[in-house]
């Protein structure tokens, strides 16, 4: 029996990636940089998990040197822009997610989050989408800045499992990307994969169930628990 559903955040709970992209570009402009991450480029950069890591990768692939202090300052500015955009209500939950959350809670399932994004981003998004008491819905959260290695490493899922005190066989992960599926499977979890625009071409092999969106999550969860992990 499944006891816990562990959600990824960006692209899974909410379609955040376009807002992230716009926030990056605004931070670049505010810093006097002529960088412009268009949609095809950002889709490619998303294969690098973590905002700071993404900036560093972009600098290095362009032949530059990613100074840690510069990367951290630039990412901090981007986070402030992003959280302001989210707090203004610009990022709703994906269709089907709210209904799934309500059904899962009614069935007595626990809910948790395992993501590569940072706590300020999590707090901004869930505070805006679910209200100030969102922690009552997701009491256990694993964020990217809490672990040494981000997805596709399984570290954040192992952290969440430790906090929950649950065996991986009792949990199902909801993910939208190849890196997310690899991370969850690496921690021993079954995965329900939901496609999103920025991960439309990802190889989601290893997921027990693959969906084109989040609207069939409830039925997919029931199907996934009947399959071997």
């Amino acid at each position: 029996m499944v006891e816990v559903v562990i959600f990824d955040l960006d692209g899974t709970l909410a379609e955040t990636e376009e807002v992230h992209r716009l926030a990056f570009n605004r931070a670049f402009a505010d810093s006097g940089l002529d960088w412009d991450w268009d949609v095809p480029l950002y889709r490619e950069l998303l294969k690098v998990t973590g905002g700071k890591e993404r900036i560093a990768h972009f600098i290095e692939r362009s032949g530059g040197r990613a100074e840690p202090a510069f990367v951290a300052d630039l990412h901090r500015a981007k986070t402030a822009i992003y959280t302001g955009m989210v707090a203004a209500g610009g990022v709703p939950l994906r269709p089907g997610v709210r209904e799934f959350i309500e059904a899962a809670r009614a069935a007595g399932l626990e809910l948790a989050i395992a993501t590569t994004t940072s706590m300020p981003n999590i707090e901004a998004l869930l505070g805006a989408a679910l209200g100030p008491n969102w922690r009552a819905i997701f009491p256990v959260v694993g964020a990217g800045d809490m672990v040494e290695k981000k997805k596709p490493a399984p570290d954040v899922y192992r952290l969440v499992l430790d906090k929950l005190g649950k065996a991986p066989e009792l949990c199902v992960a909801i993910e939208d990307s190849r890196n997310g599926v690899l991370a969850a499977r690496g921690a021993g979890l079954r995965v329900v994969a939901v496609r999103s625009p920025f991960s439309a071409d990802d190889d989601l092999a290893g997921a027990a169930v693959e969906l084109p969106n989040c609207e069939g999550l409830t039925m997919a969860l029931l199907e996934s628990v009947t399959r071997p992990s």
Side-chain angles (χ1 to χ4, degrees), residues 64-225:
R65 181 177 179 181
E67 297 290 348
F70 172 77
V71 170
D73 287 345
L74 187 55
H75 185 259
R76 191 176 301 112
K78 175 265 173 182
T79 297
I81 293 167
Y82 172 82
T83 55
M85 296 169 73
V86 170
V91 186
L93 298 177
R94 290 184 68 178
V97 168
R98 190 179 301 274
E99 294 78 5
F100 177 82
I101 289 173
E102 292 171 354
R105 297 185 77 202
L109 294 174
E110 296 180 58
L111 298 173
I113 290 173
T115 177
T116 58
T117 200
S118 62
M119 278 304 301
N121 289 345
I122 298 169
E123 291 165 350
L125 175 62
L126 296 185
L130 298 172
N133 295 323
W134 66 268
R135 275 283 196 175
I137 301 172
F138 292 102
V140 173
V141 175
D145 46 9
M146 296 178 180
V147 293
E148 181 178 353
K149 295 180 181 179
K150 297 181 179 180
K151 300 174 185 177
D155 297 32
V156 72
Y157 275 103
R158 289 175 176 162
L159 172 67
V160 169
L161 290 172
D162 285 344
K163 288 185 173 186
L164 289 165
K166 300 287 186 181
E169 312 87 67
L170 300 176
C171 307
V172 168
I174 313 293
E175 281 283 357
D176 75 308
S177 68
R178 178 64 177 162
N179 283 333
V181 172
L182 290 173
R185 292 295 295 150
L189 281 79
R190 284 163 289 178
V191 182
V192 174
V194 290
R195 291 282 178 185
S196 67
F198 279 91
S199 61
D201 298 327
D202 276 22
D203 177 4
L204 301 179
V209 179
E210 184 181 323
L211 298 171
N213 52 53
C214 293
E215 296 181 31
L217 272 177
T218 301
M219 289 302 298
L221 178 62
L222 293 175
E223 182 181 352
S224 75
V225 300

